[in-house]
Amino acid sequence: MQAFEYASPRSLQEAIRLLPAQWGPTDVLAGGTDLVSAMKDGISTPQRLVNIKQIAELHRMTFSPRAGLHIGATVTLRELLDDGAVQQHYPGLIQAAEAARSEQLLNMGTVGGELLQRPRCWYYRNGYGLLALRDGKSLVPEGENQYHAILGNAGPAYFVSPSFLAPILIALGATVQLHGPRGARSLPVQKLFVTPTRVGQREHDLAPNEILTEIRVPYRPGVRTAVYEIREKEALDWPLAMAAVALRQEGGVLRDPRVVLGQVAPVPWPSPEAERTLTGKKPSEDLADAAGRAAVAQATPLSKNGYKVQLARIAVKRAILSAVQQGG
Amino acid sequence: MKIRVKINGVTREDDVEPRLLLVHYLRELAGLTGTHIGCETSICGACTVLMNGAAVKSCTVLAVQADGSEITTIEGLSGRNGQLHPLQQGFWEEHGLQCGYCTPGMILAAHQLLSRNPHPSRAEIRKALEGNLCRCTGYQHIVKAVEWAAEKVRAQAEHA
């Protein structure tokens, strides 16, 4: 690993002052489960790391029915899973965080880092950059694209967004707080994710001198949620497709359904098509199946990932059925 | 950079390079070679140690991240007179290893499980050890070893 200097500030302001206005020379360190790996592989080569784990205000978690759940960025996945209020009021979030196992990863990995982890695309992880370019041309369309995007993949980005938490957070209407030199801003989680269109652009709407400080999840009693994911092996793997669903039942019909797919596009992928299929209808297996079909109707699979269309369809269907069967 | 770490009950202070990995710190500076380096990509779990009681993969933790913490390695589990920890005994009794390379990491991951859940089911044991790979045993004997240890700890608690 390339040598670097290490700073461990106690205040957010101090941390922000240590971040430059361009990507590359400095990285923010929280749990490090993704970043340290990337540094060992030479994918990230910072000259300075700014550790944010010593900043007390980033490690708070609070819940109230009025304000909802506020999760500090450096709260670990284990701390999230062990929290009584999260267990009681946000079962979908528990399901998603639980899936991001192993135990060791849950202990070190943070909620903020889970959202900001870099894609698993093997071209990216082998040094070809987010756009997987060689001689100005993407290696993905004619390459080993079995794990790449089936939606939102017109190019030049073909990787899939790797976050387990983002789809359910979006379905629940969560926002993130970002702090930079000019103060704070708030973004819906969906807007945190962007599909890069040129070299050097990142997959997050986060400036190099901004820090993700908090995730805020509204409290919505009566909303049923579920996450369903499909992976190659049970243990220690990223899903091939996942779906997160949040909905209400009123007078026997579905209201305000949110359906968000994960691991199928360069960003978490909401499906207004599936949501329209569900709205105002009586839940049934046929309806869930129709929503699954609607969610992948616009899919444009690459040469080796056609199978993911079927998986995404089934993930949506089963997440809907599972949410409907839940109490709440 | 100066760090202060309590390893197996003994506090050390060292001046380390920020890029030094915790596993190298433990093996090379502290001389505790029971923690193994396996895949170096945080997949295999051979390097698992406890940091403030929580299992972590020390090949993907910087030594500076461990500043101020308490670390337990496999060397820290046995008693003062060399008395094996119930988990170490369990791996012995139930043949929970063949080559032994994954064993220190397995035992420390199992240690965290038993500290959180003293009576795990087989499914819970398998889930807790998901981050640790063994290429010899097929895991059956490892699961039995952890069950053995859980039973032993329970029996010890009853006699205490």
Side-chain angles (χ1 to χ4, degrees), chain A residues 1-4 6 29-33 36-37 40 49 78 82 98 101-104 107-108 234-236, chain B residues 1 17-19 21 40 43 48 51 54-57 59-62 64-65 112 116 127-128 130-132:
Chain A
M1 195 191 304
Q2 188 179 293
F4 55 86
Y6 184 80
L29 174 74
T33 53
V36 175
S37 289
K40 287 166 73 172
L49 279 194
R78 174 43 69 201
D82 284 350
E98 174 74 17
R101 307 177 59 78
S102 66
E103 281 299 326
Q104 291 95 327
N107 287 336
M108 280 304 280
E234 257 183 74
L236 210 63
Chain B
M1 191 188 148
E17 251 199 280
R19 65 174 161 174
L21 296 170
E40 291 196 72
I43 300 292
T48 299
M51 188 155 100
V56 301
K57 295 188 176 180
C59 81
T60 313
V61 176
L62 301 167
V64 289
Q65 288 180 281
Q112 166 178 301
R116 292 177 60 91
K127 201 172 172 193
E130 208 173 287
N132 294 72

Side-chain angles (χ1 to χ4, degrees), chain A residues 9 25 69 93 97 148 151 160 174 191 208 219 226 242 272 310 313 318:
Chain A
L69 178 67
L93 202 48
H148 285 80
L151 285 156
V160 298
K191 301 262 183 187
Y219 175 53
M242 72 188 295
Q310 166 80 354
R313 176 170 84 82
R318 292 187 185 167

Side-chain angles (χ1 to χ4, degrees), chain B residues 138-156:
Chain B
Y139 302 100
Q140 304 288 350
H141 292 290
I142 292 176
V143 174
K144 284 185 190 161
V146 178
E147 281 183 312
W148 191 98
E151 181 57 31
K152 172 93 173 180
V153 171
R154 195 183 61 80
Q156 279 176 347

Side-chain angles (χ1 to χ4, degrees), chain A residues 21-42:
Chain A
Q22 71 277 4
W23 291 115
T26 302
D27 272 312
V28 171
L29 174 74
T33 53
D34 190 30
L35 178 59
V36 175
S37 289
M39 288 168 64
K40 287 166 73 172
D41 290 341

Side-chain angles (χ1 to χ4, degrees), chain B residues 5-55:
Chain B
V5 185
K6 195 171 185 179
I7 307 173
N8 300 332
V10 181
T11 301
R12 289 180 62 98
E13 280 187 11
D14 292 281
D15 199 358
V16 301
E17 251 199 280
R19 65 174 161 174
L20 182 71
L21 296 170
L22 178 58
V23 70
H24 292 136
Y25 174 66
L26 294 170
R27 289 176 58 87
E28 289 162 24
L29 274 82
L32 297 168
T33 55
T35 305
H36 292 165
I37 301 174
C39 69
E40 291 196 72
T41 56
S42 79
I43 300 292
C44 83
C47 63
T48 299
V49 299
L50 302 180
M51 188 155 100
N52 297 326

Side-chain angles (χ1 to χ4, degrees), chain A residues 286-298:
Chain A
D286 285 346
L287 182 72
D289 191 54
R293 284 175 199 282
V296 298
Q298 309 297 319

